[in-house]
Amino acid sequence: MRMTILVTGGAGFIGGNFVLDWLAAHEETVVNLDKLTYAGNLQTLAGLRDNPRHLFVQGDIGDRALLAALLQQHRPRAVINFAAESHVDRSIHGPGDFIQTNIVGTFNLLESVRAYWQELPDAEQAAFRLLHVSTDEVYGTLGAADAPFSEQHRYEPNSPYSASKAASDHLVRAWHHTYGLPVLTTNCSNNYGPYHFPEKLIPLVILNALAGKTLPIYGDGQQVRDWLYVKDHCAAIRRVLAAGQLGETYNVGGWNEKTNLEVVHAICSLLDELRPRADGQPYAAQISYVQDRPGHDRRYAIDARKLERELGWKPAETFASGIRKTVQWYLDNDEWINGVSSGQYRDWLTTQYGA
Ligand code: NAD
Ligand code: DAU
């Protein structure tokens, strides 16, 4: 059995948490291929600087020559694909990068991995896996009374982001069906936790609250998301990699449906307790309703019973325990936060929320 895995997008939020957890628990080497877009952050991996089992390579999943060289040199037993453009609002402002990385990039990754896999000796070919990390957003939106998304739910993506992820899932499926590539796909709900880039709701609200800024709620704030602590997602991916059935997809979710307003109030209450405002006012006073996201999906909810029934995975954190850890992490990690609050990030805030 080869003792190396190749992770793409391992300097991002989920990929970074995955690499840190993997190296803490396994003996295997991780080759970490990441383009370091605005969302990639080597500070997340700073604790691995002296770890000889972490090999970081800056590069694009669409670069076939680079991938061929990395696969030949390191001969991984698995590839886990986290690399993507991941932010819905950015996909609305500019979908081009989403088409390029999420669709064309995934195609190039599949072709590179197929070429490598086809040449492996029989036993290694049989053991090899490509795990593609995807999202619940490919299923579209739910009404208030609808059953949560199962793996059988029709693909109905509504944003440029979710359409590009849906396309990547279809490519992965086709490469299994047509070429026999040994793939696994996971479709997960909203993650939160340490190292989350503050363009997304939870870290944005924590940092805006602490900075005395407004807490922007799109539309009426009654949109529902199904929140999963990022370490639980990483555990699910490890489980699917170890025991998932080839060609199958697995939905991953936390059974934690919350409206956006409930999430923001939970964060405000924790901050009131852990770092009260100097003027004694509640952080919820900073809530401000802003223009809604175009095409905003109303509700996501995941039916994660297949993963529990077939592979024995269940989330360890409740929303209450996970959000407390997350708020505490942001209070304790000024250095990481200062590192991501660059000029480019400030430009994004102006583009999205105005001056
Ligand atoms: P992220 O935006 O935080 O990180 C993405 C990483 O991919 C960054 O480090 C970036 O530099 C890298 N990257 C982007 N384009 C690349 C390219 N062409 N080549 C190589 N690297 C590239 O995203 P995330 O939130 O960590 O999401 C990781 C994956 O999980 C994505 O595929 C996303 O669709 C999926 N997902 C995310 C969530 C969530 O709630 N964040 C939920 C379900 C699924
Ligand atoms: O469902 C999984 C998806 O979750 C992932 O595939 C995406 O990569 C990830 O970004 C996330 O998408 P969302 O659009 O659900 O996450 P975001 O944090 O951007 O927004 C969460 C909800 O909060 C959504 O209903 C929009 C709302 N929102 C967001 C921001 C940034 C606000 O009301 N105000 C805000 O300022």
Side-chain angles (χ1 to χ4, degrees):
M1 187 70 79
R2 298 218 172 269
M3 295 298 283
T4 299
I5 63 168
L6 172 65
V7 168
T8 71
F13 165 47
I14 306 174
N17 276 286
F18 181 86
V19 168
L20 291 168
D21 290 358
W22 184 275
L23 287 167
H26 291 75
E27 294 303 311
E28 284 172 304
T29 294
V30 175
V31 179
N32 185 350
L33 173 67
D34 194 298
K35 188 176 173 181
L36 293 181
T37 67
Y38 78 93
N41 185 355
L42 285 180
Q43 252 181 293
T44 300
L45 306 166
L48 302 174
R49 204 168 283 134
D50 300 321
N51 188 328
R53 291 190 294 116
H54 179 238
L55 307 175
F56 183 80
V57 180
Q58 183 172 5
D60 195 314
I61 56 165
D63 183 342
R64 282 208 219 175
L66 174 63
L67 270 158
L70 287 176
L71 291 164
Q72 280 313 317
Q73 184 185 349
H74 299 289
R75 304 187 68 76
R77 70 168 179 92
V79 173
I80 299 131
N81 183 32
F82 293 94
E85 291 292 336
S86 71
H87 189 200
V88 175
D89 294 319
R90 282 185 195 257
S91 82
I92 295 167
H93 284 276
D97 287 346
F98 291 72
I99 304 305
Q100 198 54 42
T101 283
N102 299 359
I103 306 179
V104 181
T106 303
F107 159 67
N108 283 312
L109 178 70
L110 283 164
E111 281 296 80
S112 306
V113 170
R114 182 165 77 93
Y116 163 71
W117 168 76
Q118 276 175 336
E119 299 303 321
L120 286 174
D122 287 351
E124 289 168 35
Q125 201 177 74
F128 183 82
R129 299 287 182 268
L130 169 68
L131 192 152
H132 176 63
V133 179
S134 193
T135 171
D136 60 357
E137 298 200 13
V138 298
Y139 299 125
T141 187
L142 290 169
D146 292 341
F149 299 127
S150 75
E151 289 79 359
Q152 277 71 48
H153 199 282
R154 220 165 70 164
Y155 270 42
E156 293 178 318
N158 289 321
S159 72
Y161 163 69
S162 54
S164 68
K165 289 297 290 186
S168 70
D169 293 7
H170 291 322
L171 291 174
V172 169
R173 177 191 154 88
W175 260 241
H176 175 69
H177 190 79
T178 303
Y179 305 112
L181 194 68
V183 305
L184 300 155
T185 298
T186 53
N187 292 89
C188 188
S189 61
N190 286 62
N191 283 216
Y192 67 102
Y195 306 111
H196 203 181
F197 192 73
E199 63 185 356
K200 309 283 169 65
L201 178 69
I202 287 182
L204 181 96
V205 164
I206 298 171
L207 297 193
N208 275 17
L210 292 170
K213 296 183 185 166
T214 56
L215 312 180
I217 307 280
Y218 297 165
D220 64 3
Q222 294 304 318
Q223 302 82 6
V224 172
R225 297 292 183 266
D226 181 353
W227 293 95
L228 181 69
Y229 192 62
V230 63
K231 303 281 179 194
D232 279 328
H233 186 191
C234 294
I237 291 169
R238 292 195 298 272
R239 188 68 197 126
V240 172
L241 183 64
Q245 291 292 312
L246 292 187
E248 288 290 308
T249 68
Y250 296 90
N251 283 358
V252 190
W255 305 103
N256 280 314
E257 284 187 62
K258 303 273 175 224
T259 66
N260 292 337
L261 261 183
E262 285 174 319
V263 168
V264 173
H265 277 290
I267 294 167
C268 289
S269 301
L270 282 164
L271 287 173
D272 289 340
E273 173 196 331
L274 298 168
R275 186 157 309 165
R277 268 173 51 158
D279 63 2
Q281 294 299 306
Y283 283 98
Q286 292 167 229
I287 287 176
S288 162
Y289 292 86
V290 300
Q291 196 179 355
D292 207 352
R293 172 186 281 174
H296 199 170
D297 284 339
R298 195 68 181 167
R299 174 177 168 237
Y300 304 141
I302 277 281
D303 178 345
R305 282 178 298 179
K306 175 178 174 184
L307 187 49
E308 181 175 352
R309 188 176 61 245
E310 295 186 9
L311 304 183
W313 174 88
K314 270 205 287 197
E317 302 290 346
T318 63
F319 185 72
S321 65
I323 195 70
R324 179 173 284 276
K325 284 185 184 178
T326 303
V327 170
Q328 191 64 58
W329 187 88
Y330 280 88
L331 291 175
D332 293 343
N333 284 277
D334 284 346
E335 201 182 327
W336 188 88
I337 290 157
N338 294 336
V340 296
S341 304
S342 67
Q344 212 183 354
Y345 175 60
R346 287 194 295 275
D347 292 347
W348 162 251
L349 294 183
T350 310
T351 306
Q352 176 68 0
Y353 303 100

